[in-house]
């Protein structure tokens, strides 16, 4: 929930999955705690041996039911444009699989250079380091760990499951209410020589 508001799409997919599997997923509760990998969420509802097949079915349903209803978060396009104006690049590093992440980026018309998927928490660090990211923007405490692992400044937005105060308490270098605050922060921070 940093660049894209995926809640409605994810809820719709879980609701369809509930019908197909006969499992009473609480999609409202699930979308309140987005961030961890799909398999981790499914493990809250299914026996371990059923998780892989359920994850495969979820991913089969997602492109048609989830991606089309995603919307850009307020300030997403402006945040990307602020980085572009300064000569910087933009990479999306997400726990979502690459196919669906790219589908979301395309649907929303987000001008990004690269999409790396299926990574969470510190595992995002290698992609950030490879790209030479100066800052990493996320909405989860695991994104703070990702920034640290990638040698980037941790910029967080309180559009996910954590408040500004909670993000600060977890060690974020910067905690914003949402992406509408990013361009102003970035204008005062950006290390021109660090942008890539």
């Amino acid at each position: 929930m940093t660049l894209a508001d995926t809640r409605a799409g994810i809820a719709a997919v879980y609701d369809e999955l509930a019908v197909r599997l006969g499992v009473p997923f609480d999609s409202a509760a699930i979308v309140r705690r987005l961030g961890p990998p799909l398999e981790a969420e499914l493990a809250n509802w299914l026996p371990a041996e059923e998780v892989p097949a359920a994850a495969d079915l979820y991913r089969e349903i997602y492109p048609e039911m989830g991606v089309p209803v995603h919307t850009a978060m307020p300030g997403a396009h402006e945040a990307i444009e602020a980085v572009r104006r300064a000569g910087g690049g933009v990479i999306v590093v997400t726990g979502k699989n690459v196919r669906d992440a790219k589908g979301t980026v395309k649907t929303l018309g987000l001008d990004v250079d690269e999409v790396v998927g299926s990574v969470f928490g510190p595992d995002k660090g290698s992609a950030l380091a490879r790209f030479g990211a100066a800052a990493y923007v996320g909405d989860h405490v695991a994104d703070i760990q990702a920034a640290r692992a990638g040698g980037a400044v941790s910029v967080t937005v309180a559009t996910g499951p954590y408040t500004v105060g909670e993000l600060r308490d977890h060690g974020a270098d910067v905690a914003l209410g949402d992406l509408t605050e990013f361009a102003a922060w970035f204008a005062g921070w950006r290390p021109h020589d660090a942008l890539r």
Side-chain angles (χ1 to χ4, degrees):
M1 295 259 309
T2 304
L3 290 171
D5 187 342
T6 57
R7 290 173 295 190
I10 290 171
V13 175
Y14 270 105
D15 290 344
E16 178 65 17
L17 199 62
V19 171
R20 295 194 191 189
L21 297 180
V23 175
F25 295 109
D26 183 346
S27 60
I30 290 169
V31 298
R32 283 194 299 271
R33 60 177 175 246
L34 292 178
L38 170 62
E39 287 80 2
E41 181 59 51
L42 289 171
N44 293 324
W45 305 92
L46 298 166
E49 65 274 11
E50 294 178 20
V51 168
D56 288 345
L57 182 55
Y58 178 99
R59 291 186 178 108
E60 179 185 319
I61 298 167
Y62 197 90
E64 290 185 18
M65 292 194 77
V67 172
V69 296
H70 292 169
T71 58
M73 292 297 286
H77 289 281
E78 295 82 0
I80 292 171
E81 179 56 29
V83 174
R84 292 271 182 231
R85 277 194 311 271
V90 178
I91 181 174
V92 171
V93 184
T94 179
K96 190 177 298 304
N97 69 76
V98 172
R99 179 202 64 199
D100 294 336
K102 285 183 175 180
T104 298
V105 164
K106 182 178 179 182
T107 296
L108 301 181
L110 299 171
D111 180 20
V112 305
D113 299 300
E114 187 174 343
V115 175
V116 177
S118 300
V119 288
F120 181 70
D123 291 340
K124 293 180 177 183
S126 61
L128 296 172
R130 180 170 46 85
F131 190 74
Y136 181 61
V137 184
D139 68 352
H140 197 279
V141 295
D143 294 324
I144 300 167
Q145 298 168 347
R148 298 280 180 269
V153 171
S154 170
V155 181
T156 56
V157 288
T159 50
Y162 299 93
T163 66
V164 167
E166 289 169 332
L167 292 166
R168 282 190 186 119
D169 290 347
H170 279 92
D173 296 313
V174 179
L176 307 173
D178 60 35
L179 279 179
T180 64
E181 301 173 15
F182 178 84
W185 168 79
F186 185 73
W189 169 78
R190 64 176 190 250
H192 294 282
D193 58 342
L195 289 175
R196 294 176 49 191

